[in-house]
Amino acid sequence: MRDPVKERMATQVAGGRTTVIQRDLNISGAVMTDGSVELFGALDGDLFAKTLMIGPGARFKGDVVAENVEISGMVDGRVTARTVRLGATAQVKGAILHQRLMIDDGAEFEGSVLRKTDEAAWTEISKTFEIPGVELTADAQRAVDALKREFEAKGA
């Protein structure tokens, strides 16, 4: 009998999975994975992934929670990630909660930023992507909520 959980774990051990959303694909709704997502089309909804790469010309509107995010397209929303890189063609409007932020020359950013170096919060978020499953663990969700509350308390 086929065991989807074991198959998913085997795929991760073998190098992980990447979901590619092509240029001609527009998605409306939440996307959740413990793998990687490469967005070249459009996504209107929240996204939870281990890593997210938003390619040039891609459009994303919603909230992101990930370990690592690289943006070369358009984003309108909140990005919560340990590492965030805005490439030269990035156009970002919103809030970025991060541990490490890199902005390339030419990137456009309008919004607010909060650098959070407390490792405990990021560790809880990271645990979500270490085990098979598509939803944030309760501890990770509390960590994300705490980061958002702290960010909002600072008036950002």
Side-chain angles (χ1 to χ4, degrees):
M1 177 175 249
R2 187 173 157 246
D3 184 345
V5 172
K6 285 184 181 178
E7 288 177 13
R8 188 173 195 162
M9 289 175 70
T11 303
Q12 283 185 293
V13 172
R17 288 175 330 286
T18 300
T19 299
V20 179
I21 301 171
Q22 298 293 345
R23 293 186 195 286
D24 61 346
L25 186 59
N26 296 315
I27 296 177
S28 182
V31 173
M32 296 179 242
T33 179
D34 52 4
S36 298
V37 174
E38 294 180 1
L39 176 64
F40 296 98
L43 174 61
D44 186 357
D46 297 339
L47 185 136
F48 301 90
K50 178 140 179 102
T51 62
L52 170 63
M53 190 281 295
I54 299 174
R59 293 178 332 234
F60 176 83
K61 184 174 183 176
D63 287 349
V64 172
V65 177
E67 271 281 304
N68 302 297
V69 174
E70 183 172 332
I71 302 169
S72 295
M74 296 173 60
V75 172
D76 184 357
R78 185 189 323 251
V79 177
T80 302
R82 184 185 298 264
T83 303
V84 178
R85 179 174 171 263
L86 305 184
T89 58
Q91 297 176 334
V92 178
K93 181 178 180 181
I96 299 175
L97 291 81
H98 67 92
Q99 187 175 38
R100 183 170 182 220
L101 174 64
M102 296 154 282
I103 302 177
D104 291 354
D105 187 32
E108 297 177 20
F109 174 64
E110 179 184 333
S112 47
V113 176
L114 174 66
R115 181 172 184 245
K116 183 70 173 171
T117 58
D118 175 20
E119 188 62 30
W122 298 112
T123 299
E124 289 304 323
I125 293 168
S126 299
K127 285 180 186 176
T128 294
F129 305 112
E130 294 173 3
I131 58 174
V134 295
E135 294 183 27
L136 286 178
T137 64
D139 289 338
Q141 186 63 57
R142 282 191 291 277
V144 169
D145 291 343
L147 286 170
K148 289 180 181 180
R149 280 192 305 276
E150 180 178 340
F151 193 68
E152 289 160 0
K154 292 185 183 222

